[in-house]
Amino acid sequence: PAADSVPGLFAAGARVTIPSASGAREVAVGDIPSAPGRNALRPGEVISAITLPPRGKHGGDAYLRFIPRTEMDIAVVGAAVNLTLDRDTIIAARVALGAVAPKVLLVTEAASAIISTKLDDAALTALTAAARAAAKPISDKRGTAEFRTEVVGVLARRAALIASARAKGESK
């Protein structure tokens, strides 16, 4: 659940190819991790490819994470946002959260909060609330559940702003 690559790939709609002796199958990235330390691969299977759908000219994405200190490179919270703009209005979005549940979450309520908006304050507030509502973190030595719930909203909001800027061709 704390893997850095999974939330961004999940938000981007990535799929993996899994060949095996009985044939190949294609699965959404978010369906591979099933629980801490577990995955959905069957015996003898291995991921051979990751396929990202085209982002498009007016698409942007961002992944942010919070780590406790530089000596411990593991996410306490992670948030990824992938979005597409039509002029300044968001027409498609996906929001994935990491390290706040037993597996990476794709939060449709958070995406819905910003679709059809220009990412104004009301949309960002709704996105923040939806991300926090979806989070079901644990408390451990890296942070309390309350802290993680607070931070996931902040990171989702910041990631949405960065993704929007990237979709507009602004550097961030």
Side-chain angles (χ1 to χ4, degrees), residues 42-122:
R42 299 173 189 145
E45 288 186 330
V46 63
I47 294 173
S48 65
I50 300 172
T51 306
L52 288 164
R55 183 171 50 184
K57 186 175 181 182
H58 301 289
D61 47 18
Y63 170 72
L64 296 173
R65 70 184 181 143
F66 175 82
I67 59 173
R69 56 186 172 271
T70 57
E71 298 84 31
M72 183 182 253
D73 191 13
I74 185 170
V76 174
V77 177
V81 175
N82 175 283
L83 55 79
T84 304
L85 299 176
D86 180 6
R87 300 180 196 248
D88 287 338
T89 301
I90 298 169
I91 58 171
R94 288 170 59 99
V95 177
L97 307 177
V100 292
K103 60 184 271 179
V104 175
L105 304 173
L106 186 65
V107 185
T108 56
E109 296 83 3
S112 294
I114 61 173
I115 293 173
S116 299
T117 75
K118 294 184 182 205
L119 211 55
D120 56 17
D121 287 339

Side-chain angles (χ1 to χ4, degrees), residues 15-40:
R15 299 186 65 78
V16 296
T17 303
I18 306 167
S20 69
S22 60
R25 62 187 176 117
E26 192 174 293
V27 178
V29 164
D31 293 336
I32 296 298
S34 56
R38 298 185 184 259
N39 63 59

Side-chain angles (χ1 to χ4, degrees), residues 90-164:
I90 298 169
I91 58 171
R94 288 170 59 99
V95 177
L97 307 177
V100 292
K103 60 184 271 179
V104 175
L105 304 173
L106 186 65
V107 185
T108 56
E109 296 83 3
S112 294
I114 61 173
I115 293 173
S116 299
T117 75
K118 294 184 182 205
L119 211 55
D120 56 17
D121 287 339
L124 289 166
T125 298
L127 165 70
T128 300
R132 288 180 177 150
K136 305 293 181 236
I138 61 169
S139 292
D140 65 12
K141 66 182 178 181
R142 296 178 297 127
T144 65
E146 296 80 14
F147 175 77
R148 287 179 164 146
T149 300
E150 177 70 21
V151 172
V152 77
V154 172
L155 293 185
R157 178 187 186 101
R158 289 179 185 172
L161 289 167
I162 293 168
S164 178

